[in-house]
Amino acid sequence: MHTTRSNASGAPRRPITRLARLTSLLPLVVLAACAGAPQPPTASAPAATATATRYNISRFPIEHYDQDVDHWIRPDAPGYDRPLLSTQEQTRRFEAFRARYFGTAPRDPSPWNGTWLATSLLNAAGVQQIADSQGRHVRSFDNGVPGVRKTYGENFHAHTSSWIRAIEANMALAQLDADPAGGQYDPRRRGITVDNALVRQLPTQDPAFYDFHRAGEGYPFDALQDSALRPGTPVYTLARSVDGAWLLVYSPDLIGWVDARTVAAVDAHFVATWRDAAQRSLGAIVRADVPLADTPPGTAAPIYRTFAPIGTVLPMMLRDGHPAAMFPVADLRRQAHIRTTALDTSTLVPMPWTLTPRHMAQVIKELIGRPYGWGNTLFYNDCSAETRSLFAPFGVWLPRHSSDQLRAGVRTDLRAADIDTRLRTLAERGRPLMTLIHINGHIMLYLGNAQHDGESVPMTYQNVWGLSPADNSRRNVIGGSVILPLLKTYPEDPEARSLAGKSLFEISVIGGETSANGDAARLPSTDTPDEMPQ
Protein backbone atom coordinates (compact mmCIF):
# COMPACT_ATOMS: atom_id res chain seq x y z
CA MET A 1 0.00 0.00 0.00
CA HIS A 2 1.30 3.44 -0.85
CA THR A 3 1.32 6.11 1.80
CA THR A 4 1.48 9.84 1.21
CA ARG A 5 4.84 11.26 2.15
CA SER A 6 5.27 14.70 3.60
CA ASN A 7 7.29 17.17 1.55
CA ALA A 8 10.84 17.44 2.77
CA SER A 9 10.96 21.05 1.63
CA GLY A 10 8.49 22.03 4.31
CA ALA A 11 11.20 22.15 6.98
CA PRO A 12 12.49 25.67 7.71
CA ARG A 13 15.79 26.51 6.08
CA ARG A 14 18.22 29.29 6.91
CA PRO A 15 21.21 30.56 4.94
CA ILE A 16 24.30 28.95 6.45
CA THR A 17 27.98 29.39 6.78
CA ARG A 18 29.73 27.96 3.71
CA LEU A 19 27.89 30.09 1.16
CA ALA A 20 27.43 33.13 3.33
CA ARG A 21 30.04 34.80 1.14
CA LEU A 22 28.33 33.71 -2.09
CA THR A 23 26.31 36.46 -3.73
CA SER A 24 23.91 35.16 -6.36
CA LEU A 25 24.25 36.86 -9.73
CA LEU A 26 21.95 34.70 -11.83
CA PRO A 27 19.25 32.11 -11.15
CA LEU A 28 20.61 28.58 -10.62
CA VAL A 29 20.18 25.40 -12.63
CA VAL A 30 18.74 22.01 -11.62
CA LEU A 31 20.81 18.81 -11.55
CA ALA A 32 19.06 15.54 -12.13
CA ALA A 33 20.14 12.10 -11.04
CA CYS A 34 20.54 9.35 -13.58
CA ALA A 35 19.45 5.81 -14.14
CA GLY A 36 21.72 3.09 -15.48
CA ALA A 37 23.88 0.29 -14.18
CA PRO A 38 26.73 1.35 -11.89
CA GLN A 39 30.26 0.64 -13.03
CA PRO A 40 33.08 -0.92 -11.01
CA PRO A 41 35.64 1.32 -9.31
CA THR A 42 38.89 2.09 -11.05
CA ALA A 43 41.74 -0.41 -10.97
CA SER A 44 43.53 1.64 -8.34
CA ALA A 45 40.82 0.89 -5.79
CA PRO A 46 41.90 -1.90 -3.42
CA ALA A 47 40.04 -5.16 -3.91
CA ALA A 48 37.73 -6.23 -1.10
CA THR A 49 37.77 -9.77 0.22
CA ALA A 50 34.59 -11.67 0.89
CA THR A 51 34.84 -11.02 4.61
CA ALA A 52 36.37 -7.54 4.60
CA THR A 53 34.54 -4.58 6.14
CA ARG A 54 34.90 -1.35 4.20
CA TYR A 55 34.06 1.86 5.99
CA ASN A 56 33.65 3.64 2.67
CA ILE A 57 30.55 5.73 3.31
CA SER A 58 30.39 9.06 5.11
CA ARG A 59 27.91 11.93 5.06
CA PHE A 60 28.66 15.18 3.22
CA PRO A 61 27.58 18.20 5.34
CA ILE A 62 25.21 19.72 2.81
CA GLU A 63 23.97 22.07 5.55
CA HIS A 64 27.13 24.09 4.92
CA TYR A 65 25.54 25.20 1.66
CA ASP A 66 22.53 27.49 1.47
CA GLN A 67 19.45 25.54 0.38
CA ASP A 68 17.06 28.51 0.35
CA VAL A 69 15.67 28.53 -3.19
CA ASP A 70 14.66 32.19 -2.92
CA HIS A 71 18.28 33.12 -2.25
CA TRP A 72 19.31 31.75 -5.64
CA ILE A 73 16.19 32.34 -7.74
CA ARG A 74 15.38 35.72 -6.26
CA PRO A 75 11.74 36.91 -6.13
CA ASP A 76 12.97 40.52 -6.39
CA ALA A 77 14.89 39.87 -9.64
CA PRO A 78 13.59 41.91 -12.61
CA GLY A 79 12.96 38.80 -14.72
CA TYR A 80 11.24 36.69 -12.04
CA ASP A 81 7.99 36.54 -14.05
CA ARG A 82 9.55 36.79 -17.50
CA PRO A 83 9.05 33.68 -19.70
CA LEU A 84 12.25 31.72 -20.41
CA LEU A 85 10.81 30.27 -23.61
CA SER A 86 8.89 32.11 -26.31
CA THR A 87 5.21 31.25 -26.58
CA GLN A 88 5.84 29.68 -29.98
CA GLU A 89 8.72 27.53 -28.74
CA GLN A 90 6.90 26.36 -25.61
CA THR A 91 3.79 25.52 -27.63
CA ARG A 92 5.88 23.51 -30.12
CA ARG A 93 7.47 21.50 -27.34
CA PHE A 94 4.16 20.93 -25.58
CA GLU A 95 2.52 19.62 -28.75
CA ALA A 96 5.42 17.17 -29.17
CA PHE A 97 4.99 16.18 -25.50
CA ARG A 98 1.26 15.56 -25.89
CA ALA A 99 1.77 13.68 -29.16
CA ARG A 100 4.18 11.30 -27.43
CA TYR A 101 1.43 10.39 -24.96
CA PHE A 102 -1.81 10.66 -26.94
CA GLY A 103 -1.03 11.51 -30.59
CA THR A 104 -2.68 9.92 -33.61
CA ALA A 105 -0.60 11.26 -36.53
CA PRO A 106 1.60 8.73 -38.38
CA ARG A 107 4.80 9.93 -36.64
CA ASP A 108 3.32 10.32 -33.14
CA PRO A 109 4.99 7.64 -30.94
CA SER A 110 2.05 7.19 -28.57
CA PRO A 111 1.47 3.71 -27.09
CA TRP A 112 -2.12 4.04 -28.29
CA ASN A 113 -1.25 5.00 -31.88
CA GLY A 114 -1.74 1.86 -33.93
CA THR A 115 -0.39 3.43 -37.12
CA TRP A 116 2.96 4.34 -35.58
CA LEU A 117 3.24 1.10 -33.58
CA ALA A 118 2.64 -1.07 -36.64
CA THR A 119 5.29 0.65 -38.73
CA SER A 120 7.96 1.55 -36.16
CA LEU A 121 7.84 -0.89 -33.23
CA LEU A 122 5.87 -3.99 -34.20
CA ASN A 123 7.45 -4.62 -37.58
CA ALA A 124 9.97 -7.45 -37.90
CA ALA A 125 12.99 -5.25 -37.19
CA GLY A 126 11.39 -3.64 -34.14
CA VAL A 127 10.26 -6.93 -32.60
CA GLN A 128 13.70 -8.43 -33.19
CA GLN A 129 15.35 -5.45 -31.52
CA ILE A 130 13.15 -5.87 -28.47
CA ALA A 131 13.81 -9.62 -28.30
CA ASP A 132 17.57 -9.10 -28.65
CA SER A 133 17.52 -6.44 -25.93
CA GLN A 134 15.68 -8.73 -23.53
CA GLY A 135 18.15 -11.52 -24.24
CA ARG A 136 21.06 -9.18 -23.47
CA HIS A 137 19.44 -8.24 -20.18
CA VAL A 138 19.22 -11.90 -19.19
CA ARG A 139 22.87 -12.52 -20.06
CA SER A 140 24.04 -9.40 -18.22
CA PHE A 141 22.63 -10.77 -14.94
CA ASP A 142 23.82 -14.35 -15.42
CA ASN A 143 26.66 -14.89 -12.94
CA GLY A 144 27.65 -18.03 -14.84
CA VAL A 145 28.60 -16.16 -18.02
CA PRO A 146 32.34 -15.35 -18.27
CA GLY A 147 33.05 -11.64 -18.00
CA VAL A 148 29.69 -10.75 -16.46
CA ARG A 149 29.92 -8.66 -13.31
CA LYS A 150 28.64 -10.70 -10.38
CA THR A 151 25.41 -9.57 -8.75
CA TYR A 152 24.12 -10.27 -5.26
CA GLY A 153 20.76 -10.42 -3.57
CA GLU A 154 19.55 -8.53 -0.53
CA ASN A 155 21.11 -11.24 1.65
CA PHE A 156 24.61 -10.56 0.21
CA HIS A 157 24.59 -13.97 -1.52
CA ALA A 158 25.54 -14.15 -5.19
CA HIS A 159 22.64 -14.91 -7.52
CA THR A 160 22.62 -18.52 -8.71
CA SER A 161 22.14 -19.95 -12.18
CA SER A 162 18.78 -21.34 -11.13
CA TRP A 163 17.67 -17.80 -10.18
CA ILE A 164 18.31 -16.32 -13.62
CA ARG A 165 17.03 -19.45 -15.43
CA ALA A 166 13.71 -19.19 -13.57
CA ILE A 167 13.37 -15.53 -14.56
CA GLU A 168 14.28 -16.34 -18.17
CA ALA A 169 11.71 -19.12 -18.34
CA ASN A 170 9.04 -16.81 -16.93
CA MET A 171 9.79 -14.25 -19.66
CA ALA A 172 8.92 -16.72 -22.46
CA LEU A 173 10.80 -14.61 -24.98
CA ALA A 174 9.65 -16.86 -27.82
CA GLN A 175 6.32 -15.06 -27.64
CA LEU A 176 7.97 -12.01 -29.21
CA ASP A 177 8.77 -14.06 -32.31
CA ALA A 178 5.56 -16.11 -32.37
CA ASP A 179 3.07 -13.44 -31.41
CA PRO A 180 -0.58 -14.51 -31.82
CA ALA A 181 -1.21 -11.18 -33.52
CA GLY A 182 1.48 -11.96 -36.10
CA GLY A 183 3.55 -8.95 -35.09
CA GLN A 184 0.65 -6.66 -35.93
CA TYR A 185 -0.86 -3.95 -33.77
CA ASP A 186 -3.55 -5.32 -31.44
CA PRO A 187 -5.83 -2.66 -29.84
CA ARG A 188 -6.64 -5.12 -27.02
CA ARG A 189 -3.07 -4.69 -25.78
CA ARG A 190 -3.53 -1.00 -25.03
CA GLY A 191 -3.53 -0.10 -21.37
CA ILE A 192 -3.05 2.66 -18.81
CA THR A 193 -1.27 2.72 -15.47
CA VAL A 194 -3.69 2.90 -12.55
CA ASP A 195 -0.92 3.17 -9.98
CA ASN A 196 2.72 4.21 -9.77
CA ALA A 197 4.63 1.43 -11.52
CA LEU A 198 8.29 0.56 -11.06
CA VAL A 199 9.92 -0.34 -14.39
CA ARG A 200 12.27 -3.33 -14.10
CA GLN A 201 14.82 -4.65 -16.57
CA LEU A 202 13.66 -8.21 -15.83
CA PRO A 203 10.34 -9.47 -14.44
CA THR A 204 11.35 -9.84 -10.79
CA GLN A 205 11.16 -7.84 -7.57
CA ASP A 206 14.49 -9.34 -6.49
CA PRO A 207 17.28 -6.74 -6.39
CA ALA A 208 20.62 -7.22 -8.13
CA PHE A 209 23.42 -5.38 -6.33
CA TYR A 210 27.05 -5.36 -7.36
CA ASP A 211 29.89 -5.74 -4.84
CA PHE A 212 28.47 -4.25 -1.64
CA HIS A 213 32.00 -3.73 -0.28
CA ARG A 214 32.68 -1.04 -2.85
CA ALA A 215 31.55 2.57 -2.71
CA GLY A 216 28.75 3.39 -5.14
CA GLU A 217 27.52 -0.21 -5.19
CA GLY A 218 25.09 -2.11 -3.01
CA TYR A 219 22.03 -0.23 -1.78
CA PRO A 220 20.41 1.79 -3.30
CA PHE A 221 21.89 0.77 -6.66
CA ASP A 222 19.69 -2.14 -7.69
CA ALA A 223 20.91 -2.72 -11.23
CA LEU A 224 17.53 -4.21 -12.20
CA GLN A 225 15.65 -1.03 -11.30
CA ASP A 226 15.24 1.27 -14.29
CA SER A 227 12.51 3.86 -13.83
CA ALA A 228 8.88 4.43 -12.85
CA LEU A 229 5.65 5.25 -14.65
CA ARG A 230 3.14 7.59 -13.07
CA PRO A 231 -0.62 7.06 -12.82
CA GLY A 232 -2.43 7.75 -16.08
CA THR A 233 0.44 6.79 -18.40
CA PRO A 234 -0.63 5.11 -21.67
CA VAL A 235 1.12 1.80 -22.36
CA TYR A 236 1.08 -1.00 -24.93
CA THR A 237 1.75 -4.58 -23.79
CA LEU A 238 4.45 -6.32 -25.81
CA ALA A 239 4.66 -9.52 -23.74
CA ARG A 240 3.28 -11.13 -20.60
CA SER A 241 5.18 -13.32 -18.17
CA VAL A 242 4.15 -16.96 -17.91
CA ASP A 243 2.84 -16.48 -14.37
CA GLY A 244 0.84 -13.41 -15.45
CA ALA A 245 2.45 -11.21 -12.81
CA TRP A 246 4.48 -9.03 -15.20
CA LEU A 247 3.92 -7.09 -18.40
CA LEU A 248 6.61 -5.95 -20.82
CA VAL A 249 5.23 -2.58 -21.89
CA TYR A 250 6.05 0.20 -24.29
CA SER A 251 5.44 3.60 -22.69
CA PRO A 252 6.07 7.16 -23.92
CA ASP A 253 9.47 7.05 -22.22
CA LEU A 254 10.93 3.54 -22.31
CA ILE A 255 10.32 -0.21 -22.60
CA GLY A 256 10.41 -2.39 -19.49
CA TRP A 257 8.65 -4.82 -17.17
CA VAL A 258 5.97 -3.62 -14.76
CA ASP A 259 3.78 -5.33 -12.19
CA ALA A 260 0.59 -6.40 -14.00
CA ARG A 261 -1.51 -5.04 -11.12
CA THR A 262 -0.46 -1.49 -12.00
CA VAL A 263 -2.02 -1.63 -15.49
CA ALA A 264 -5.63 -1.79 -16.66
CA ALA A 265 -6.89 -2.48 -20.17
CA VAL A 266 -8.55 0.32 -22.16
CA ASP A 267 -11.21 0.00 -24.85
CA ALA A 268 -11.94 2.30 -27.78
CA HIS A 269 -14.44 4.37 -25.77
CA PHE A 270 -11.94 4.94 -22.95
CA VAL A 271 -9.18 5.92 -25.38
CA ALA A 272 -11.42 8.36 -27.25
CA THR A 273 -12.69 9.95 -24.04
CA TRP A 274 -9.24 10.27 -22.50
CA ARG A 275 -7.64 11.59 -25.69
CA ASP A 276 -10.36 14.17 -26.24
CA ALA A 277 -10.09 15.41 -22.66
CA ALA A 278 -6.29 15.60 -22.91
CA GLN A 279 -6.58 17.54 -26.16
CA ARG A 280 -8.94 20.06 -24.57
CA SER A 281 -6.89 20.56 -21.41
CA LEU A 282 -3.95 18.63 -20.02
CA GLY A 283 -2.80 19.38 -16.48
CA ALA A 284 0.36 18.71 -14.50
CA ILE A 285 0.84 17.97 -10.80
CA VAL A 286 3.25 20.48 -9.22
CA ARG A 287 3.11 19.40 -5.57
CA ALA A 288 4.73 16.35 -4.00
CA ASP A 289 2.81 13.07 -3.81
CA VAL A 290 -0.74 14.33 -4.26
CA PRO A 291 -3.42 11.82 -3.15
CA LEU A 292 -5.79 10.70 -5.91
CA ALA A 293 -9.16 9.81 -4.41
CA ASP A 294 -12.77 9.72 -5.58
CA THR A 295 -16.18 9.21 -4.00
CA PRO A 296 -18.08 6.48 -5.93
CA PRO A 297 -21.88 6.49 -5.87
CA GLY A 298 -23.23 5.03 -2.65
CA THR A 299 -20.12 5.84 -0.60
CA ALA A 300 -19.84 8.60 1.97
CA ALA A 301 -16.10 9.14 2.09
CA PRO A 302 -13.49 9.42 -0.68
CA ILE A 303 -11.56 6.26 -1.53
CA TYR A 304 -7.81 6.70 -1.77
CA ARG A 305 -6.45 5.12 -4.96
CA THR A 306 -2.81 6.16 -5.23
CA PHE A 307 -0.60 9.26 -5.25
CA ALA A 308 0.57 11.47 -8.11
CA PRO A 309 4.22 12.61 -8.02
CA ILE A 310 5.35 15.97 -9.37
CA GLY A 311 5.25 15.94 -13.17
CA THR A 312 2.27 13.56 -13.43
CA VAL A 313 0.14 14.61 -16.42
CA LEU A 314 -3.62 14.08 -16.40
CA PRO A 315 -6.59 15.49 -18.34
CA MET A 316 -8.15 18.34 -16.38
CA MET A 317 -11.43 20.19 -16.36
CA LEU A 318 -13.45 22.55 -14.20
CA ARG A 319 -15.90 20.97 -11.76
CA ASP A 320 -18.18 23.34 -9.86
CA GLY A 321 -15.83 26.13 -10.83
CA HIS A 322 -12.75 24.38 -9.41
CA PRO A 323 -9.99 22.47 -11.21
CA ALA A 324 -10.29 18.70 -11.25
CA ALA A 325 -8.18 15.91 -12.72
CA MET A 326 -9.27 12.74 -14.44
CA PHE A 327 -7.49 9.57 -13.36
CA PRO A 328 -8.00 5.86 -14.12
CA VAL A 329 -9.01 3.01 -11.83
CA ALA A 330 -9.33 -0.71 -12.57
CA ASP A 331 -12.37 -2.89 -12.03
CA LEU A 332 -12.24 -6.57 -11.07
CA ARG A 333 -11.76 -7.53 -14.72
CA ARG A 334 -8.76 -5.16 -14.96
CA GLN A 335 -10.69 -2.81 -17.23
CA ALA A 336 -9.97 0.91 -16.81
CA HIS A 337 -12.62 3.44 -15.77
CA ILE A 338 -12.33 7.20 -15.40
CA ARG A 339 -12.68 8.96 -12.07
CA THR A 340 -12.20 12.61 -11.14
CA THR A 341 -10.71 14.35 -8.13
CA ALA A 342 -10.89 18.03 -7.17
CA LEU A 343 -7.51 19.73 -6.74
CA ASP A 344 -6.54 23.32 -6.02
CA THR A 345 -4.65 25.63 -8.36
CA SER A 346 -1.42 25.26 -6.37
CA THR A 347 -1.50 21.50 -7.05
CA LEU A 348 -2.78 21.13 -10.62
CA VAL A 349 -1.78 23.61 -13.34
CA PRO A 350 -2.86 23.72 -16.99
CA MET A 351 -0.13 22.72 -19.45
CA PRO A 352 1.97 24.19 -20.74
CA TRP A 353 2.59 26.18 -17.56
CA THR A 354 4.44 29.37 -18.44
CA LEU A 355 8.15 28.67 -17.94
CA THR A 356 9.22 31.53 -15.66
CA PRO A 357 11.76 31.66 -12.80
CA ARG A 358 8.83 32.00 -10.37
CA HIS A 359 7.21 28.80 -11.55
CA MET A 360 10.53 26.93 -11.74
CA ALA A 361 11.28 28.00 -8.18
CA GLN A 362 7.84 26.78 -7.07
CA VAL A 363 8.54 23.28 -8.41
CA ILE A 364 12.09 23.20 -7.03
CA LYS A 365 10.78 24.11 -3.57
CA GLU A 366 8.61 21.00 -3.71
CA LEU A 367 11.45 18.75 -4.90
CA ILE A 368 14.46 20.02 -2.94
CA GLY A 369 15.50 18.00 0.10
CA ARG A 370 13.77 14.81 -1.00
CA PRO A 371 15.81 11.56 -0.88
CA TYR A 372 17.72 10.14 -3.82
CA GLY A 373 16.02 7.17 -5.50
CA TRP A 374 18.14 5.23 -7.99
CA GLY A 375 15.91 4.42 -10.97
CA ASN A 376 12.99 5.86 -8.95
CA THR A 377 13.57 3.41 -6.08
CA LEU A 378 10.77 3.91 -3.50
CA PHE A 379 9.29 6.31 -6.11
CA TYR A 380 11.86 8.98 -5.31
CA ASN A 381 13.84 10.63 -8.11
CA ASP A 382 17.38 10.10 -9.27
CA CYS A 383 19.22 12.76 -11.29
CA SER A 384 17.49 12.41 -14.65
CA ALA A 385 14.09 11.72 -13.08
CA GLU A 386 14.52 15.00 -11.20
CA THR A 387 15.03 17.04 -14.38
CA ARG A 388 12.12 15.25 -16.05
CA SER A 389 9.85 16.08 -13.11
CA LEU A 390 11.00 19.68 -13.14
CA PHE A 391 10.40 20.35 -16.84
CA ALA A 392 7.26 18.25 -17.41
CA PRO A 393 4.71 20.84 -16.14
CA PHE A 394 6.07 23.26 -18.74
CA GLY A 395 5.45 20.79 -21.57
CA VAL A 396 9.16 20.11 -22.12
CA TRP A 397 9.67 16.35 -22.55
CA LEU A 398 13.06 14.94 -21.59
CA PRO A 399 14.21 11.36 -22.27
CA ARG A 400 14.60 9.05 -19.28
CA HIS A 401 18.39 8.73 -19.20
CA SER A 402 20.86 11.52 -18.57
CA SER A 403 23.01 10.82 -21.62
CA ASP A 404 19.93 11.31 -23.86
CA GLN A 405 18.59 14.45 -22.21
CA LEU A 406 21.11 16.70 -23.95
CA ARG A 407 19.04 16.23 -27.11
CA ALA A 408 16.61 18.75 -25.63
CA GLY A 409 18.84 21.72 -26.48
CA VAL A 410 21.91 23.09 -28.23
CA ARG A 411 24.80 20.90 -27.14
CA THR A 412 28.43 21.81 -26.42
CA ASP A 413 30.96 19.02 -25.78
CA LEU A 414 33.69 20.14 -23.36
CA ARG A 415 35.27 16.81 -22.51
CA ALA A 416 38.58 17.89 -24.05
CA ALA A 417 38.66 21.20 -22.13
CA ASP A 418 40.33 21.78 -18.77
CA ILE A 419 38.20 22.61 -15.76
CA ASP A 420 38.74 26.38 -16.01
CA THR A 421 37.64 26.41 -19.65
CA ARG A 422 34.62 24.29 -18.81
CA LEU A 423 33.42 26.62 -16.07
CA ARG A 424 34.12 29.73 -18.14
CA THR A 425 32.24 28.32 -21.14
CA LEU A 426 29.32 27.38 -18.93
CA ALA A 427 29.11 30.96 -17.65
CA GLU A 428 29.41 32.40 -21.15
CA ARG A 429 27.04 30.08 -23.04
CA GLY A 430 24.76 28.76 -20.34
CA ARG A 431 21.30 30.18 -19.71
CA PRO A 432 20.28 30.07 -16.03
CA LEU A 433 17.44 27.58 -15.43
CA MET A 434 17.61 26.43 -19.05
CA THR A 435 20.99 24.65 -19.24
CA LEU A 436 21.60 20.98 -18.48
CA ILE A 437 25.09 19.84 -17.46
CA HIS A 438 25.98 16.23 -18.18
CA ILE A 439 28.97 14.46 -16.65
CA ASN A 440 29.74 10.74 -16.28
CA GLY A 441 26.43 9.12 -15.31
CA HIS A 442 24.90 12.33 -13.96
CA ILE A 443 22.93 15.39 -15.05
CA MET A 444 22.18 18.69 -13.31
CA LEU A 445 20.58 22.08 -13.90
CA TYR A 446 22.65 25.27 -14.09
CA LEU A 447 21.20 28.06 -11.93
CA GLY A 448 23.70 30.78 -12.73
CA ASN A 449 26.98 32.03 -11.31
CA ALA A 450 27.80 33.43 -7.87
CA GLN A 451 30.87 35.10 -6.39
CA HIS A 452 32.99 33.00 -4.04
CA ASP A 453 36.36 34.15 -2.71
CA GLY A 454 36.67 36.56 -5.61
CA GLU A 455 35.85 33.96 -8.25
CA SER A 456 32.71 33.40 -10.27
CA VAL A 457 31.31 29.95 -9.39
CA PRO A 458 28.51 28.05 -11.21
CA MET A 459 25.60 27.07 -9.01
CA THR A 460 23.51 23.98 -9.74
CA TYR A 461 20.39 22.18 -8.64
CA GLN A 462 20.75 18.40 -8.74
CA ASN A 463 19.66 15.14 -7.23
CA VAL A 464 22.95 13.47 -6.39
CA TRP A 465 24.17 10.46 -4.42
CA GLY A 466 27.54 11.88 -3.38
CA LEU A 467 31.13 12.88 -4.08
CA SER A 468 34.06 10.52 -4.47
CA PRO A 469 37.87 10.63 -4.71
CA ALA A 470 39.70 9.78 -7.93
CA ASP A 471 40.15 6.13 -6.96
CA ASN A 472 36.40 5.77 -6.35
CA SER A 473 37.16 4.03 -3.06
CA ARG A 474 34.52 5.79 -0.97
CA ARG A 475 31.46 8.05 -1.13
CA ASN A 476 30.77 11.26 0.74
CA VAL A 477 27.00 10.86 0.55
CA ILE A 478 24.61 13.71 -0.12
CA GLY A 479 21.71 11.44 -1.08
CA GLY A 480 19.08 13.86 -2.30
CA SER A 481 18.12 16.93 -4.32
CA VAL A 482 20.23 19.94 -3.37
CA ILE A 483 21.69 23.25 -4.46
CA LEU A 484 25.46 22.90 -4.80
CA PRO A 485 28.22 25.01 -6.38
CA LEU A 486 30.59 23.50 -8.92
CA LEU A 487 33.79 24.13 -6.93
CA LYS A 488 37.18 22.84 -8.01
CA THR A 489 37.60 21.38 -4.51
CA TYR A 490 35.30 21.12 -1.53
CA PRO A 491 36.73 22.13 1.87
CA GLU A 492 34.73 19.39 3.57
CA ASP A 493 36.52 16.73 1.50
CA PRO A 494 39.58 18.06 -0.37
CA GLU A 495 40.22 14.62 -1.93
CA ALA A 496 36.81 14.49 -3.59
CA ARG A 497 36.82 15.06 -7.34
CA SER A 498 35.01 18.13 -8.57
CA LEU A 499 31.91 17.26 -10.58
CA ALA A 500 33.29 19.67 -13.17
CA GLY A 501 36.53 17.69 -13.38
CA LYS A 502 35.16 14.35 -14.58
CA SER A 503 36.26 12.89 -17.92
CA LEU A 504 32.93 13.81 -19.53
CA PHE A 505 31.51 17.34 -19.39
CA GLU A 506 28.78 18.55 -21.75
CA ILE A 507 26.18 21.30 -21.62
CA SER A 508 22.85 21.66 -23.43
CA VAL A 509 20.96 24.95 -23.62
CA ILE A 510 17.20 24.58 -23.97
CA GLY A 511 15.27 27.22 -25.92
CA GLY A 512 15.64 29.32 -29.01
CA GLU A 513 16.72 26.47 -31.31
CA THR A 514 14.45 24.96 -33.94
CA SER A 515 15.98 21.52 -34.38
CA ALA A 516 16.13 20.19 -30.80
CA ASN A 517 13.35 17.89 -29.64
CA GLY A 518 12.05 17.65 -33.17
CA ASP A 519 12.44 13.91 -33.52
CA ALA A 520 9.11 13.07 -31.94
CA ALA A 521 9.07 9.60 -33.45
CA ARG A 522 12.37 8.49 -31.90
CA LEU A 523 11.96 5.16 -30.13
CA PRO A 524 12.77 5.00 -26.44
CA SER A 525 15.95 3.20 -25.55
CA THR A 526 15.57 -0.56 -25.31
CA ASP A 527 18.79 -0.83 -23.30
CA THR A 528 19.75 1.18 -20.25
CA PRO A 529 23.00 3.14 -20.69
CA ASP A 530 25.82 1.80 -18.55
CA GLU A 531 26.24 4.83 -16.33
CA MET A 532 27.99 5.13 -13.02
CA PRO A 533 25.94 6.98 -10.39
CA GLN A 534 27.39 10.07 -8.76
Side-chain angles (χ1 to χ4, degrees), residues 450-472:
Q451 289 295 315
H452 178 244
D453 289 343
E455 294 186 23
S456 183
V457 176
M459 299 297 299
T460 66
Y461 174 76
Q462 56 184 307
N463 199 323
V464 61
W465 181 244
L467 304 175
S468 63
D471 66 1
N472 203 36

Side-chain angles (χ1 to χ4, degrees), residues 165-376:
R165 295 286 80 80
I167 293 172
E168 183 178 27
N170 196 33
M171 295 167 72
L173 292 180
Q175 67 185 292
L176 292 172
D177 298 320
D179 193 294
Q184 299 300 308
Y185 164 72
D186 183 353
R188 295 170 299 179
R189 291 179 174 232
R190 293 178 297 185
I192 193 167
T193 53
V194 293
D195 202 347
N196 291 282
L198 293 178
V199 180
R200 308 284 289 169
Q201 291 200 41
L202 295 176
T204 178
Q205 299 286 8
D206 294 344
F209 299 117
Y210 295 120
D211 187 351
F212 55 87
H213 291 101
R214 300 187 185 276
E217 302 190 16
Y219 184 85
F221 301 109
D222 175 6
L224 283 169
Q225 179 54 38
D226 199 8
S227 188
L229 302 180
R230 291 155 177 164
T233 302
V235 297
Y236 183 86
T237 295
L238 300 167
R240 184 183 297 270
S241 64
V242 174
D243 61 10
W246 295 90
L247 303 176
L248 179 65
V249 299
Y250 164 65
S251 76
D253 304 315
L254 76 169
I255 292 171
W257 292 91
V258 299
D259 188 321
R261 294 170 295 185
T262 63
V263 175
V266 295
D267 57 20
H269 176 71
F270 183 102
V271 169
T273 303
W274 194 271
R275 270 181 178 158
D276 290 346
Q279 190 64 37
R280 287 193 301 271
S281 182
L282 193 63
I285 298 295
V286 293
R287 293 184 66 88
D289 297 348
V290 173
L292 297 181
D294 65 295
T295 307
T299 60
I303 297 177
Y304 172 83
R305 305 292 187 170
T306 186
F307 67 92
I310 291 173
T312 301
V313 296
L314 298 167
M316 66 177 293
M317 75 291 292
L318 289 178
R319 193 174 71 179
D320 299 328
H322 300 284
M326 296 168 53
F327 67 95
V329 299
D331 64 18
L332 294 177
R333 298 180 298 114
R334 304 305 303 170
Q335 296 294 312
H337 300 272
I338 295 173
R339 299 288 186 263
T340 60
T341 184
L343 299 170
D344 59 51
T345 54
S346 67
T347 299
L348 180 69
V349 298
M351 295 177 66
W353 205 24
T354 305
L355 210 171
T356 64
R358 178 190 296 275
H359 291 160
M360 291 279 278
Q362 182 174 331
V363 179
I364 291 173
K365 287 176 183 178
E366 289 291 313
L367 290 169
I368 195 168
R370 291 169 64 83
Y372 176 91
W374 166 263
N376 290 116

Side-chain angles (χ1 to χ4, degrees), residues 12 21 44 62 70 143 146 152 229 362 379 399 417 429 448:
R21 293 172 293 172
S44 59
I62 193 62
D70 286 341
N143 286 343
Y152 302 82
L229 302 180
Q362 182 174 331
F379 298 109
R429 301 186 187 179

